[in-house]
Amino acid sequence: MKNNITSRKNFLKTSALLGLGTLALGIEAKDLAEPKHLAKPSDNKPTNGKFELAPLPYAYNALEPFIDAQTMEIHHSKHHQAYVNKLNEAIATDSSLNTKSLEELLLNLSKVPENVRGAVRNHGGGHWNHTFFWKSMKLGTQMGPKFSTLATSSFGDIDKFKANFEKLAMGIFGSGWAWVVLQDKQLKIMTSANQDNPLMDAGKEPNRVPKILLGLDVWEHAYYLKHKNKRADYVSSFWNVVNWDEIEALLK
Ligand SMILES: [Fe+2]
């Protein structure tokens, strides 16, 4: 089996480097090239200087019985809302930030002024990750041919892909995310701590920005009400709610 797993250690090592950039005075326009595969920047731009929490694309109980309605409601209306609020507080302090799209900020994180970089990383990451997460889930879809072909060529077969994803998701110490990305024409599984994600400072290599296909929130707030301390049950049940239609659309 090809080893296509980017270990948490390596990813976190990369993430750690994000904080080592020199103090930046602002984001230069030339640094803001956005890969075409990302969402339209206008989708994630603040309105009058503020980001807004979009409604879920389905009802809170739409993912029952695999993810319960109470968890979804608290996760979206409390946790996600808090990331949006705190991100807005951070960008309100700098007029060079509150007109940028969320992708522009994250891709060039080390160029965000140091005094708000940590807040943009944590809360901007939280806003992007959860916005993506909600769209990643839907009941009743089936893995499509494009993803299936990629997973087989990258991991050997679908079962091995799933086993690798679950193993990496279970291996995250504390809070974080497991990701499936397309990079260099291969599927890769990545993990990140806290609200980091594979886009952060990826603008340094515009031709290698990973296309994020799937993300799994393994913070306890995502599963504790239903699964208590059993993260493995939550991770294995996640396959029932993956929105494979959305992934297939991302691969077009
Ligand atoms: Fe979360």
Side-chain angles (χ1 to χ4, degrees), residues 19-230:
L20 300 179
T22 55
L23 179 63
L25 297 177
I27 298 176
E28 301 290 334
K30 64 182 174 55
D31 298 319
L32 297 179
E34 289 198 61
K36 292 178 181 176
H37 66 252
L38 293 177
K40 288 183 294 184
S42 58
D43 290 347
N44 260 328
K45 271 197 169 180
T47 302
N48 297 324
K50 289 189 174 182
F51 288 98
E52 294 178 357
L53 178 65
L56 277 185
Y58 38 72
Y60 286 128
N61 66 357
L63 304 176
E64 295 267 14
F66 306 104
I67 300 181
D68 59 286
Q70 185 180 20
T71 294
M72 289 297 294
E73 181 169 6
I74 294 171
H75 201 172
H76 176 259
S77 68
K78 304 299 182 186
H79 291 280
H80 191 172
Q81 182 70 67
Y83 292 121
V84 173
N85 294 347
K86 290 178 181 176
L87 173 62
N88 286 334
E89 290 175 14
I91 62 174
T93 64
D94 191 323
S95 60
S96 72
L97 299 177
N98 61 20
T99 56
K100 301 287 188 294
S101 75
L102 192 49
E103 287 79 8
E104 288 173 323
L105 294 172
L106 299 182
L107 285 166
N108 303 281
L109 189 61
S110 64
K111 298 183 186 302
V112 171
E114 193 174 32
N115 64 318
V116 293
R117 193 181 305 153
V120 170
R121 178 179 184 162
N122 291 333
H123 306 301
H127 182 28
W128 195 96
N129 295 347
H130 287 85
T131 300
F132 185 86
F133 186 49
W134 309 135
K135 294 177 182 176
S136 295
M137 295 187 287
K138 184 178 181 181
L139 279 185
T141 68
Q142 300 296 320
M143 185 182 293
K146 293 181 186 298
F147 186 88
S148 176
T149 299
L150 278 168
T152 300
S153 65
S154 300
F155 294 94
D157 60 47
I158 302 302
D159 287 343
K160 288 175 182 172
F161 155 72
K162 288 185 174 180
N164 276 310
F165 182 85
E166 292 183 26
K167 180 179 179 182
L168 270 284
M170 286 303 299
I172 296 169
F173 181 75
S175 301
W177 291 75
W179 305 97
V180 180
V181 307
L182 181 67
Q183 187 181 46
D184 303 328
K185 300 180 180 179
Q186 294 278 307
L187 286 189
K188 300 178 182 180
I189 299 169
M190 295 179 167
T191 61
S192 60
N194 303 316
Q195 294 297 348
D196 287 358
N197 70 41
L199 296 182
M200 290 183 173
D201 259 348
K204 291 177 178 177
E205 290 187 273
N207 295 327
R208 297 193 69 242
V209 174
K211 178 186 284 190
I212 299 177
L213 300 174
L214 184 64
L216 176 59
D217 186 344
V218 296
W219 284 58
E220 285 188 343
H221 67 224
Y223 61 87
Y224 204 85
L225 287 179
K226 181 177 181 66
H227 297 288
K228 304 300 184 287
N229 60 320
K230 297 175 182 175

